[in-house]
Amino acid sequence: MTVLRHYTMTAVEGRADDLRVALQGLAAKVGALPQSLKAELFSDPDAPGTFVFIEHWASVADHKQAGAMLG
């Protein structure tokens, strides 16, 4: 069973592009980890500056191990 972690983040006024770039970089790093199945980033068309970041893992243990590698 795939384990998903999701985060919803909203940028400070006027900083949506900065947050988008930072999250795209994070998605690339997470997606490149050997434990990661993939990482996705979505923007909310009804809430400019709000993003949903989703991580896909094979197990909770894989998520924890990868977190230690990023931290």
Side-chain angles (χ1 to χ4, degrees), residues 4 15-16 19 29 36 38 49:
L4 300 179
R15 304 285 308 269
L19 181 56
K29 288 179 184 178
S36 174
K38 68 179 171 177

Side-chain angles (χ1 to χ4, degrees), residues 9 18-28 41 51-53:
M9 293 166 252
D18 295 333
L19 181 56
R20 179 190 319 275
V21 168
L23 292 173
Q24 287 170 333
L26 180 59
L41 178 62
F51 301 92
V52 177
F53 187 87

Side-chain angles (χ1 to χ4, degrees), residues 15-67:
R15 304 285 308 269
D17 288 338
D18 295 333
L19 181 56
R20 179 190 319 275
V21 168
L23 292 173
Q24 287 170 333
L26 180 59
K29 288 179 184 178
V30 169
L33 292 171
Q35 301 89 340
S36 174
L37 300 176
K38 68 179 171 177
E40 300 176 291
L41 178 62
F42 300 94
S43 58
D44 186 340
D46 295 327
T50 298
F51 301 92
V52 177
F53 187 87
I54 303 174
E55 303 171 353
H56 299 249
W57 305 95
S59 68
V60 172
D62 284 346
H63 175 259
K64 288 181 180 180
Q65 183 180 10

